[in-house]
């Protein structure tokens, strides 16, 4: 780290922490970007003079609101809703909605900040935002989830729109929740627009959107592997999570010839040394998406598998790790286990799943490593394609959307190489992704004056 970078990051972070106390996830996300872009700021001092970074860490708007709803027993419940509209320099705000008990302002700001750079990387015109609530759909009936979504949207609808802010899904928000929110939005606004993405196939949804984040992750990983003359063929892959991203990452990795041996949820992980098959994955999709059960049940159904309660998959020997559950799910000790187990590639499907200490270990050991903002950008990119189809009142074929997705992931990879190739020819994907995203957003902000 140069003397400039060290001083710049230290002073910037001190001011950020003082102004945003306790927002640890937000601090972590900002620090990663700062460390990556500081040499660029030194090289282009007009960004420093215009205080671009100081502006980028201040959301354009933060909306926090009460979400009252009634449970099936007739008891009144109160949750907190959020929408952080971080940056609209290159397009309308765009970013998912997360329903999980852990949601707070720090997590919303970290996700909205990451989203700004990720969306810039997709090559599509989308600004950055994120929203959600500390409501957990776990254990709730469909009727309770519907009443909650309707109450949430009753407030959110006044802040979003097809040219203003277009939310999508994230943890705890899938097709069911998007449907309930879209229904309420349409009812209150009396307009049928593409204001949410991830919609159902008969009412404006794009083909391949459900698959896009996981598939895009694998397309990106293929390109990373190719830099070392490798591919998914015959490789042992660890996947964490068992939700949307994990399911389709596992499916695509399998179809590209890999053996996927783990899946997880917040209670533990399953290890199946025989590997997933299409049939086993179909069961997982039914278990998680329809029955809304726990991954432990996989081990009851398939005796080849073992369930490890309260643990994460990283101790299992592998070639490639695809973390697809949540933030900070790979800590330093986990990273060391991956390195010791022979893993040579970690590609993030989740947002910020590796802690800074873990990243140091992974990069220090010379593994291929890509941050989520590059490798999981296929989801929002395909949401962008859904917006385009909605505006054109068209529906593209699955093949057309998949081809766009492949091309976008390939462009993101090329951008990472452009800004992240080291002198020895290896690639720093963290630097590449952050600098590429930063240059695009920062340039737009400069050109639009002091707003
Ligand atoms: P889902 O809700 O579909 O699945 C999340 C999975 O992660 C579940 O298996 C869940 O287990 C597990 N999980 C959630 N919280 C924790 C936790 N604290 N500890 C361990 N496991 C946990 O979400 P998605 O698949 O959509 O999202 C997964 C990740 O990918 C998130 O980081 C999200 O931000 C990111 N992402 C998602 C995109 C999308 O298109 N959906 C796009 C880009 C990034 P359980 O069932 O126990 O809750």
């Amino acid at each position: 780290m140069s003397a400039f970078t060290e001083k710049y990051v230290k002073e910037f972070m001190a001011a950020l922490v003082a102004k945003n106390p306790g927002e640890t996830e937000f601090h972590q996300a900002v620090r990663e970007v700062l460390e990556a872009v500081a040499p660029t700021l030194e090289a282009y001092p007009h960004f420093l003079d215009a205080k671009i970074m100081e502006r980028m860490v201040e959301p354009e708007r933060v909306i926090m609101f009460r979400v009252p709803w009634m449970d099936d027993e007739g008891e009144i419940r109160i949750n907190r809703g959020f929408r952080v509209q971080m940056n609209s320099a290159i397009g309308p705000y765009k970013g998912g909605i997360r329903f999980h008990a852990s949601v707070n302002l720090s997590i919303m700001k970290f996700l909205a900040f990451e989203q700004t750079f990720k969306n810039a990387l997709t090559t599509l015109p989308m600004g950055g935002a994120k929203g959600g609530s500390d409501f957990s759909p776990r254990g709730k009936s469909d009727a309770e989830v519907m009443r909650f979504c309707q109450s949430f949207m009753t407030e959110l609808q006044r802040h979003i729109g097809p040219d203003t802010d277009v939310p999508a899904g994230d943890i705890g928000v899938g097709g069911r929740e998007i449907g309930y929110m879209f229904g309420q939005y349409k009812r209150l606004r009396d307009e049928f627009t593409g204001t949410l993405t991830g919609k159902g196939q008969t009412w404006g949804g794009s083909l391949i959107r459900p698959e896009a984040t996981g598939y895009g992750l694998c397309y990106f990983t293929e390109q990373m592997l190719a830099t070392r003359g490798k591919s998914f063929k015959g490789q042992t892959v660890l996947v964490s999570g068992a939700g949307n991203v994990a399911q389709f990452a596992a499916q695509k990795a399998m179809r590209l010839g890999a053996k996927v041996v783990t899946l997880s949820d917040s209670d533990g992980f399953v290890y199946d040394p025989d590997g997933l098959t299409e049939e086993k994955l179909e069961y997982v999709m039914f278990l998680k998406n329809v029955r809304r059960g726990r991954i432990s049940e996989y081990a009851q159904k398939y005796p080849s598998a073992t369930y490890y309660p309260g643990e994460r998959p990283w101790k299992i020997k592998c070639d490639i790790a695809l973390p697809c559950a949540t933030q900070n799910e790979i800590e330093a000790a986990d990273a060391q286990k991956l390195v010791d187990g022979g893993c040579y590639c970690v590609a993030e499907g989740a947002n910020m799943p590796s802690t800074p200490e873990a990243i140091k270990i992974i990069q220090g050991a010379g593994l291929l490593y890509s941050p989520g903002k590059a490798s999981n950008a296929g989801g929002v990119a395909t949401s962008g394609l859904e917006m385009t189809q909605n505006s054109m009142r068209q529906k593209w074929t699955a093949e057309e959307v998949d081809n766009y997705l492949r091309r976008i992931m390939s462009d993101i990879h090329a951008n990472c190489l452009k800004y992240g190739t080291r002198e020895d020819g290896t690639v720093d994907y963290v630097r590449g992704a952050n600098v590429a995203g930063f240059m695009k957003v920062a340039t737009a902000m400069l050109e639009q004056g002091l707003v």
Side-chain angles (χ1 to χ4, degrees):
M1 202 183 281
S2 74
F4 171 85
T5 299
E6 201 164 318
K7 182 167 181 288
Y8 178 75
V9 173
K10 193 170 165 210
E11 290 175 2
F12 195 104
M13 285 307 300
L16 184 93
V17 170
K19 199 169 179 186
N20 304 277
E23 296 180 1
T24 51
E25 293 86 357
F26 181 52
H27 303 161
Q28 182 181 334
V30 172
R31 179 183 285 279
E32 180 196 293
V33 173
L34 280 183
E35 288 179 355
V37 304
T40 307
L41 293 170
E42 192 179 9
Y44 301 93
H46 56 290
F47 288 137
L48 285 173
D49 297 340
K51 295 216 162 54
I52 291 293
M53 208 63 226
E54 285 83 346
R55 286 197 250 161
M56 278 185 176
V57 298
E58 200 60 42
E60 289 177 11
R61 194 171 297 106
V62 175
I63 302 144
M64 280 173 65
F65 50 97
R66 179 203 302 154
V67 189
W69 59 283
M70 193 174 278
D71 69 20
D72 286 346
E73 275 68 53
E75 192 173 325
I76 288 172
R77 307 270 201 117
I78 314 293
N79 284 96
R80 181 172 291 173
F82 298 88
R83 188 72 180 165
V84 176
Q85 295 176 333
M86 188 57 94
N87 194 303
S88 62
I90 63 165
Y93 306 110
K94 179 94 195 85
I97 291 180
R98 177 177 292 191
F99 291 164
H100 193 268
S102 64
V103 163
N104 58 32
L105 184 58
S106 171
I107 289 178
M108 293 287 99
K109 284 173 69 177
F110 120 63
L111 289 165
F113 186 71
E114 290 268 304
Q115 196 80 45
T116 301
F117 297 93
K118 180 190 311 191
N119 292 3
L121 282 172
T122 64
T123 70
L124 302 175
M126 299 182 290
K130 201 80 187 189
S133 174
D134 58 358
F135 168 81
S136 170
R138 191 168 162 179
K140 306 288 190 305
S141 69
D142 285 351
E144 288 175 323
V145 170
M146 182 178 76
R147 287 196 292 275
F148 175 81
C149 287
Q150 290 179 339
S151 182
F152 183 85
M153 187 49 83
T154 300
E155 174 55 32
L156 187 66
Q157 55 88 20
R158 69 185 89 242
H159 308 289
I160 61 177
D163 297 316
T164 313
D165 184 352
V166 183
D170 190 76
I171 290 178
V173 177
R176 174 182 63 169
E177 291 76 15
I178 293 288
Y180 293 151
M181 287 193 275
F182 184 80
Q184 185 73 348
Y185 178 85
K186 184 162 60 69
R187 181 186 190 195
L188 292 168
R189 298 281 290 255
D190 194 21
E191 54 187 34
F192 196 115
T193 63
T195 297
L196 289 148
T197 57
K199 299 185 289 296
Q201 290 303 322
T202 56
W203 41 279
S206 174
L207 289 163
I208 305 293
R209 176 60 189 94
E211 294 88 346
T213 308
Y215 279 19
L217 169 65
C218 291
Y219 297 152
F220 189 91
T221 308
E222 263 190 312
Q223 304 234 345
M224 294 171 77
L225 298 175
T227 65
R228 298 212 179 157
K230 294 185 183 270
S231 76
F232 270 110
K233 260 206 176 64
Q235 304 297 284
T236 300
V237 175
L238 306 183
V239 173
S240 67
N244 173 268
V245 181
Q247 291 169 14
F248 290 105
Q251 185 178 74
K252 186 53 81 175
M254 252 163 46
R255 290 181 183 175
L256 292 170
K259 180 154 97 166
V260 177
V261 294
T262 62
L263 288 170
S264 71
D265 60 23
S266 44
D267 295 333
F269 80 94
V270 284
Y271 171 46
D272 185 346
D274 290 352
L276 282 178
T277 57
E278 294 283 348
E279 181 231 308
K280 290 174 180 174
L281 188 59
E282 206 171 295
Y283 168 73
V284 171
M285 289 179 176
F286 171 74
L287 175 69
K288 298 303 283 186
N289 310 347
V290 181
R291 274 215 16 240
R292 300 187 188 275
R294 310 305 302 158
I295 201 63
S296 56
E297 295 170 55
Y298 179 100
Q300 290 160 19
K301 182 157 172 77
Y302 298 108
S304 57
T306 309
Y307 176 60
Y308 293 83
E311 291 193 63
R312 296 164 178 164
W314 317 123
K315 65 178 186 183
I316 304 295
K317 272 188 183 319
C318 72
D319 302 301
I320 299 164
L322 303 176
C324 296
T326 192
Q327 66 271 3
N328 293 331
E329 55 167 317
I330 302 183
E331 295 181 282
D334 303 312
Q336 196 55 55
K337 284 178 201 157
L338 284 171
V339 172
D340 295 344
C343 176
Y344 67 87
C345 176
V346 179
E348 296 183 345
N351 285 311
M352 211 168 75
S354 313
T355 65
E357 298 75 25
I359 296 171
K360 270 199 190 95
I361 292 169
I362 292 165
Q363 286 190 320
L367 276 63
L368 286 166
Y369 167 74
S370 81
K373 60 168 75 81
S375 40
N376 73 26
V380 71
T382 308
S383 277
L385 301 176
E386 183 169 322
M387 288 166 71
T388 307
Q389 293 169 75
N390 293 161
S391 299
M392 296 167 78
R393 306 238 189 276
Q394 280 189 358
K395 192 171 172 82
W396 298 337
T397 64
E399 197 188 357
E400 281 174 296
V401 181
D402 198 35
N403 285 340
Y404 269 119
L405 174 62
R406 279 177 196 272
R407 199 181 320 151
I408 288 169
M409 297 318 292
S410 176
D411 287 347
I412 296 173
H413 190 264
N415 250 320
C416 289
L417 297 194
K418 178 176 171 189
Y419 290 102
T421 302
R422 301 183 183 99
E423 275 177 12
D424 65 1
T426 60
V427 185
D428 181 347
Y429 287 89
V430 177
R431 183 166 153 68
N434 282 311
V435 174
F438 172 82
M439 289 299 281
K440 186 168 178 185
V441 178
T443 305
M445 289 173 74
L446 265 189
E447 288 171 358
Q448 291 170 22
L450 187 50
V451 291

